């Protein structure tokens, strides 16, 4: 039996090292050099080539290398009986929250403005703080941590999700209450999973409903955002700026208009990168659990898409 690592375009070495360190006996095969497909019982994947998983007749489990599973679920050829798990890891959550806090603080304390002032030798003490109320769309492990930490820092926070929640400790809105949610906040953090329900959710109609001058932080997936609508929303003043870590096409093509847009702060999908050493224990644990037919860690609900 063996574990297949399939992550074209990503270096598999840190995963091989982390897994082998914990379980030196575990046989690992790395795509595209999978010589014994019949041995593969678990596939650890990131952006795998569509259809490839049907090459493994004894596959029992598919594990994402990250928190997101949209890159797995886009492959309609994955047999329905095959369980899928994802990574939930404290370090991943910690990094994501730190990134979002940085974005919120940048807006609140206007670092971009002062950097521009510094370049022009401008001393401007007016309006040093923007009052901030933060709305977090997506209240899973990542979104919840963001709400908790920002609340601890004293920011009013509001959550939005797609299902009803009982006894949620922060003001909470469902998708049907979107306008009510948007009325409360002037910073929007998108941490939604990418599903058919959430794709293109950040479009011009959405931005029109935001408070004038709202700041957008998208750390979820590029496909949540209709990119030309963001530029339009900035030009019309619905939004005052955005911090983006994810894009519809990655790497972002050189010709993309975002590169030259000063109101957008960009990073290259680094908000929270899975640390193989931190994530390897749960990959191995799931390998053992699937073999003993026991309930898995961090299973994905295919119907919900996360
Ligand atoms: C993830 C990511 O889903 O890195 O983990 O985007």
């Amino acid at each position: 039996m063996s574990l297949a690592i399939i992550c074209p375009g990503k270096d598999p070495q840190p995963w091989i090292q982390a897994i082998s360190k914990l379980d030196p006996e575990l046989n690992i095969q790395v795509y595209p050099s999978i010589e014994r497909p019949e041995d593969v019982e678990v596939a650890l994947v990131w952006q795998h080539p569509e259809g490839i998983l049907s090459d493994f007749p004894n596959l029992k489990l598919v594990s994402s290398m990250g928190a997101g599973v949209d890159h797995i679920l886009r492959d309609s050829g994955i047999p329905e009986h095959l369980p899928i798990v994802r990574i939930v890891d404290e370090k991943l959550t910690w990094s994501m929250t730190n990134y979002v806090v940085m974005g919120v603080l940048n807006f609140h304390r206007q670092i971009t403005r002062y950097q521009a002032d510094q370049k022009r030798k401008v001393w401007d003490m007016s309006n040093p703080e923007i009052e901030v109320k933060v709305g977090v769309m997506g209240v899973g492990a990542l979104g919840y941590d963001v709400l908790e930490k920002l609340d601890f820092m004293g920011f009013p926070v509001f959550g939005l999700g797609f299902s009803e929640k009982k006894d949620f400790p922060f003001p909470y809105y469902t998708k049907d209450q979107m306008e009510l949610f948007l009325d409360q906040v002037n910073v929007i953090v998108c941490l939604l999973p990418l599903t058919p329900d959430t794709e293109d959710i950040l479009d011009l109609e959405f931005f029109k409903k935001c408070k004038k001058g709202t700041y957008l932080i998208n750390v979820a997936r590029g496909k949540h955002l209709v990119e030309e609508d963001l530029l339009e929303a900035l030009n019309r003043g619905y939004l005052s700026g955005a911090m983006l870590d994810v894009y519809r096409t990655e790497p972002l093509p050189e010709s993309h208009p975002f590169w030259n847009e000063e109101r957008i702060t960009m990073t290259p999908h680094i908000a929270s990168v899975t640390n193989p050493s931190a994530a390897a224990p749960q990959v191995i644990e799931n390998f053992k659990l699937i073999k003993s037919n026991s309930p898995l860690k961090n299973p994905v609900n295919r119907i919900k898409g996360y």
Side-chain angles (χ1 to χ4, degrees):
M1 71 213 165
S2 85
L3 172 102
I5 300 188
I6 308 172
C7 55
K10 208 178 168 93
D11 181 8
Q13 280 311 321
W15 284 96
I16 299 173
Q17 277 161 20
I19 293 170
S20 308
K21 198 167 159 195
L22 292 174
D23 188 346
E25 303 297 308
L26 183 58
N27 180 268
I28 300 176
Q29 303 191 66
V30 181
Y31 173 85
S33 316
I34 299 194
E35 281 162 12
R36 294 175 322 283
E38 65 285 1
D39 285 1
V40 173
E41 287 185 322
V42 175
L44 177 61
V45 302
W46 189 258
Q47 308 280 14
H48 68 277
E50 222 165 305
I52 186 115
L53 299 177
S54 52
D55 289 357
F56 311 126
N58 297 314
L59 188 62
K60 293 190 170 58
L61 174 68
V62 183
S63 172
S64 173
M65 276 187 170
V69 288
D70 47 294
H71 61 103
I72 298 177
L73 297 178
R74 79 188 147 79
D75 182 348
S76 53
I78 302 182
E80 291 204 355
H81 70 272
L82 213 55
I84 299 173
V85 291
R86 65 196 192 94
I87 302 294
V88 177
D89 157 42
E90 276 176 16
K91 170 68 178 57
L92 202 64
T93 308
W94 187 75
S95 299
M96 184 58 91
T97 298
N98 287 350
Y99 183 98
V100 173
V101 167
M102 170 182 73
V104 170
L105 291 180
N106 180 26
F107 180 63
H108 172 54
R109 300 311 310 254
Q110 309 170 82
I111 289 307
T112 308
R113 164 188 160 190
Y114 293 117
Q115 279 171 337
D117 284 357
Q118 183 181 347
K119 276 211 180 101
R120 294 179 296 129
K121 302 194 174 140
V122 169
W123 184 272
D124 175 5
M125 293 174 68
S126 64
N127 309 318
E129 286 180 31
I130 295 176
E131 199 187 318
V132 157
K133 293 185 178 172
V134 187
V136 178
M137 297 170 67
V139 296
L142 299 175
Y144 188 83
D145 195 62
V146 167
L147 286 166
E148 217 175 19
K149 303 263 171 64
L150 285 172
D151 173 66
F152 178 77
M153 291 173 75
F155 291 106
V157 292
F158 304 79
L160 178 129
F162 274 52
S163 47
E164 299 288 337
K165 288 217 183 298
K166 267 202 174 148
D167 303 326
F168 198 69
F170 304 105
Y172 178 74
Y173 299 82
T174 55
K175 188 178 100 186
D176 307 334
Q177 300 166 309
M178 184 68 88
E179 290 193 26
L180 224 50
F181 168 76
L182 293 177
D183 274 351
Q184 314 297 321
V185 302
N186 65 344
V187 174
I188 308 253
V189 179
C190 179
L191 265 167
L192 289 164
L194 182 66
T195 68
D197 275 344
T198 66
E199 183 162 345
D200 294 336
I201 193 167
L202 304 171
D203 65 358
L204 199 59
E205 281 316 301
F206 174 96
F207 296 136
K208 272 186 194 164
K209 294 179 195 139
C210 291
K211 275 194 192 157
K212 203 170 170 339
T214 287
Y215 189 73
L216 172 72
I217 301 175
N218 188 16
V219 276
R221 285 289 181 260
K223 284 189 178 162
H224 286 122
L225 174 65
V226 180
E227 294 181 336
E228 58 275 21
D229 286 6
L230 169 59
L231 295 170
E232 186 69 26
L234 289 169
N235 291 337
R236 293 199 201 175
Y238 301 146
L239 297 185
S240 57
M243 181 164 219
L244 305 179
D245 186 53
V246 287
Y247 311 88
R248 293 189 92 92
T249 306
E250 296 180 6
L252 193 68
E254 262 182 49
S255 58
H256 200 287
F258 283 177
W259 289 111
N260 297 320
E261 176 48 70
E262 282 177 5
R263 291 165 293 186
I264 300 179
T265 302
M266 295 196 302
T267 51
H269 202 146
I270 48 73
S272 179
V273 180
T274 311
N275 174 339
S277 307
Q282 61 191 274
V283 173
I284 292 178
E285 193 179 341
N286 272 328
F287 195 107
K288 290 182 180 149
L289 291 170
I290 196 79
K291 289 187 76 63
S292 61
N293 254 329
S294 309
L296 297 165
K297 258 192 118 162
N298 309 319
V300 169
N301 178 329
R302 285 218 212 178
I303 314 244
K304 285 187 174 169
Y306 53 91

